[in-house]
Amino acid sequence: MTAQRIIQVALPVPLRRVFDYLLPNEQHKTAIGARVEVPFGHRTLIGIVLKHASQSDTPTDRLKPITTVLDPTPAVNDELLQLLLWAADYYQCPIGEALQAALPVLLRQGAAMTPQLSTAEQCWQLTTEGLGLPDNALAKAPKQAQLLHQLRERPGTTWQALKEAGFARDALLRLQEKGLAHTCAAPPITNSESPLNLNAEQQAALDAISFERYQTYLLDGATGSGKTEVYLQAIARLREGAEQAQTLVLVPEIGLTPQTIKRFARRFGASVAVLHSGLNDRERLNSWLRAASGEASIIIGTRSALFTPLKNPGLIIIDEEHDTSFKQQDGFRYSARDLACVRAKNLNIPLILGSATPALESLHNVNTGRFQALPLRHRANRQAAPLINVIDSSDHHQGLAAESLLAIEQHLAQGNQVLVFLNRRGFAPALKCRDCGAVVNCPNCDARLTLHHNPRHLHCHHCDFQRPILRTCESCHGHHLEPIGQGTERSEQALNQRFTSVPVWRIDRDSTRQKGALEDLFTRINSGEPCILVGTQMLAKGHHFPKVSLAIILDVDGGLLSADFRGPERLGQLITQVAGRSGRGDRRGEVILQTQNRHHPLLQRLIQQGYSAFAATLLEERQMSQMPPFLPIALVRADAPEADSPHQFLNQLRQSLAPLAEQNAVQMLGPMPALMEKKGQRYRHLLQVRGPSRHALQAFLRALAEHLDSIKTPRHLRWSIDVDPQDMS
Ligand SMILES: [Zn+2]
Ligand SMILES: [Zn+2]
Ligand SMILES: [Zn+2]
């Protein structure tokens, strides 16, 4: 047996191990990180070469040869491979699954690593013949004539744009057949926007950034303080020093709007590549390849874009770093923000985290000197922070209080726009029997069914169960079922009835389901006419509404009284973000909070002293209760259709690992039911594991994962490990 004939391959299977295969002699030089096709049971899988080995635990005659080497060069370069190996170990995820999550779908399926434009992206122009054709030559084919005219006016138009302008594919192909039109390279996009003037704080933040080495900076900037301009000028400065240097920009899922992309494109032209879930697989792969080749110098994407290969990495930026969408909640449960620190450190480049409401973890990292704070305290438009009023809403059943209605009237009369925030879709969160008090619940979850009016149905927002609206109570057969509480649909209806002369726009997942619907709404809102916006989180994040002067937040109490340890942090972030939507134009904003707990000390701290002081109080509480970021925690979750089995399973696990936990000074709490115990017909329990240090916790979790792999799991039971969990659900 010659050396290096065995290769270790990571495969996309939920097993915490690698697999040995034989390398046929003629393919002696398979690169580490290249994709290979291998036989696996009765299937063929695509895996990544991790290592060349000279021996295997399996006898050589039982090893199978790989089928095909797909890549001459690595699909996963060494830098990313090291990052993913580290992450797989830290998050207790099988390396095959981590690699799978990091690769574009088409590469997972075996597509070649060559760019190929999708039909939609193809650009079209007229041929010399087409250009020379007289206008009346196609009189018998009016559609082709129109298309000819369009391409003469706008050469280099994409098929996507032609389709949107109402042209048929057929007409285009006819022109191509006749030799009048052909595909062409995209016309260069020119950058059309120059940098804005920075204020002193923005300038100081920009000057503090060193591009020579690793450092994480926390750009802690109030809403409207001009964080994006600092990002843009940081990128420009990086490129002054090294023309080829690339920047990776991560934004929350909801924040990657066409506006964001346009802002970067206006400044930097065609060197911007975008990676998000709205693209098709081919478009994603094209962006990924442009980043890998160095052709794209600015890559903007959501969470998984963190794993984009970069030829000349120079800077990583994470906007709205506190956003929960940076943590993957299933499978490979990684935090893109935390891994960005690891990646930036490995690459020895700076990382900028930006937020108006930084996560407690990030503030803690500033306090301990690990991150450097770059504060932006002033709004770029010099407006004072919005004025916050708290209104007792105990009498209003979470509807709008009289003071709120009056304020809306005043702001509308002055020609401004009003935003009403309510984080609950549908008409009402519950349907209740007036006779016996029974509430209509989801048969699959520990949850109430939400009443929707448009279209009329009952809906579970946790498992998607739907049913027609009940006419009679299932408990007492009474006929008096009534909606309880407010959803966005109900607020919309009430506001429409009260304010008949202005439009009311509802913005939530139901009203913006259709592609482009959200964009249409934003265009109408930004026309500036007085209107009322009613909506959920979608309203709270990133969007700029210059004419909104009043923001009303209904139902503050849910977050205040939340049983989850991150509940108050999330509420403070939400209130601050929504409040920041008001007064971004030329007048000072006003905010009204409706609550039944107006004297709650945390709420008072937030309102009177702002998010920083509020966060400092929360950090003190976390330290006292020994919760993250002071003590690292992980959850072992288990769920099953049988009510008892998850609890028993975790209990046994706890007992088997007790000696090991003691050795590592690791504490196990529980098992306890998840905050919503029954969800989607499965019962869910969790075991909390807390370590005195990350190192000790990691050592313990490694052993725990190995133990879980080695025992027989009850049928139908699923388990998972979540390191640095975002919630206890
Ligand atoms: Zn009843
Ligand atoms: Zn619904
Ligand atoms: Zn349900």
Side-chain angles (χ1 to χ4, degrees), residues 187-213:
I189 306 165
T190 44
N191 40 334
S192 57
E193 189 187 273
S194 4
L196 308 175
N197 287 330
L198 299 183
N199 65 27
E201 274 184 332
Q202 288 172 311
Q203 189 66 50
L206 178 64
D207 291 343
I209 300 166
S210 159
F211 295 97
E212 313 301 313
R213 59 185 173 81

Side-chain angles (χ1 to χ4, degrees), residues 16 81-99 332 334 339 698 702 705 723:
R16 223 169 291 274
L81 194 57
Q82 296 312 318
L83 179 72
L84 286 159
L85 284 165
W86 187 92
D89 178 51
Y90 183 84
Y91 292 106
Q92 304 302 328
C93 173
I95 179 64
E97 288 195 335
L99 280 161
F332 179 23
Y334 65 95
L339 276 187
Q698 283 303 311
R702 248 172 248 136
V723 182

Side-chain angles (χ1 to χ4, degrees), residues 512-572:
T512 57
R513 221 173 276 280
Q514 276 180 335
K515 206 181 166 188
L518 190 62
E519 281 313 297
D520 286 352
L521 276 170
F522 285 153
T523 310
R524 280 186 217 168
I525 294 160
N526 285 330
S527 74
E529 62 175 60
C531 66
I532 302 172
L533 322 178
V534 185
T536 55
Q537 327 225 23
M538 293 181 109
L539 275 180
K541 297 193 179 171
H543 305 296
H544 183 57
F545 301 118
K547 289 289 278 182
V548 168
S549 59
L550 169 67
I552 297 175
I553 306 176
L554 303 177
D555 184 37
V556 167
D557 301 309
L560 214 49
L561 309 174
S562 160
D564 198 278
F565 79 101
R566 289 189 204 267
E569 178 186 0
R570 300 264 176 268
L571 178 73

Side-chain angles (χ1 to χ4, degrees), residues 18-296:
V18 292
F19 298 86
D20 291 350
Y21 285 90
L22 286 177
L23 189 64
N25 277 330
E26 67 269 22
Q27 288 163 335
H28 209 72
K29 279 184 186 159
T30 311
I32 306 289
R35 291 171 302 156
V36 288
E37 226 173 58
V38 296
F40 187 80
H42 297 294
R43 297 180 288 164
T44 301
L45 293 179
I46 292 173
I48 301 285
V49 178
L50 287 188
K51 223 176 175 179
H52 294 270
S54 48
Q55 47 191 341
S56 171
D57 293 342
T58 314
T60 315
D61 56 347
R62 286 185 48 205
L63 290 179
K64 289 181 185 161
I66 58 166
T67 318
T68 327
V69 176
L70 292 171
D71 304 314
T73 55
V76 182
N77 66 30
D78 187 53
E79 182 250 316
L80 282 172
L81 194 57
Q82 296 312 318
L83 179 72
L84 286 159
L85 284 165
W86 187 92
D89 178 51
Y90 183 84
Y91 292 106
Q92 304 302 328
C93 173
I95 179 64
E97 288 195 335
L99 280 161
Q100 165 96 342
L103 279 180
V105 173
L106 287 183
L107 292 189
R108 287 179 220 163
Q109 295 168 349
M113 287 203 294
T114 43
Q116 196 180 83
L117 288 185
S118 68
T119 308
E121 289 172 313
Q122 272 170 359
C123 296
W124 290 82
Q125 68 183 22
L126 297 182
T127 58
T128 323
E129 294 81 69
L131 285 167
L133 209 65
D135 273 353
N136 56 2
L138 291 172
K140 282 185 189 155
K143 283 182 185 148
Q144 291 173 41
Q146 279 167 14
L147 188 52
L148 192 81
H149 180 75
Q150 176 87 1
L151 287 175
R152 182 168 294 157
E153 297 287 306
R154 296 204 183 118
T157 310
T158 60
W159 162 237
Q160 178 71 26
L162 291 172
K163 195 166 86 179
E164 278 163 18
F167 291 102
R169 183 87 186 148
D170 222 34
L172 184 64
L173 296 180
R174 277 299 112 68
L175 289 186
Q176 188 183 27
E177 277 166 25
K178 291 176 184 170
L180 301 174
H182 63 162
T183 57
C184 62
I189 306 165
T190 44
N191 40 334
S192 57
E193 189 187 273
S194 4
L196 308 175
N197 287 330
L198 299 183
N199 65 27
E201 274 184 332
Q202 288 172 311
Q203 189 66 50
L206 178 64
D207 291 343
I209 300 166
S210 159
F211 295 97
E212 313 301 313
R213 59 185 173 81
Y214 165 72
Q215 172 66 46
T216 296
Y217 301 93
L218 180 64
L219 188 62
D220 181 356
T223 330
S225 63
K227 287 188 295 290
T228 309
E229 188 59 32
V230 176
Y231 303 151
L232 292 169
Q233 297 201 24
I235 295 171
R237 195 171 277 190
L238 169 76
R239 280 151 53 111
E240 278 165 24
E243 211 183 313
Q244 306 295 321
Q246 292 170 291
T247 304
L248 179 62
V249 184
L250 299 189
V251 299
E253 256 150 47
I254 223 164
L256 192 54
T257 59
Q259 284 122 308
T260 314
I261 298 163
K262 272 182 206 147
R263 179 127 194 231
F264 280 86
R266 278 202 306 269
R267 196 67 67 85
F268 297 108
S271 52
V272 177
V274 184
L275 277 156
H276 62 84
S277 55
L279 302 178
N280 67 36
D281 292 341
R282 173 46 69 183
E283 291 165 331
R284 282 181 77 92
L285 178 57
N286 285 346
S287 291
W288 190 92
L289 289 168
R290 286 179 64 213
S293 70
E295 183 196 327

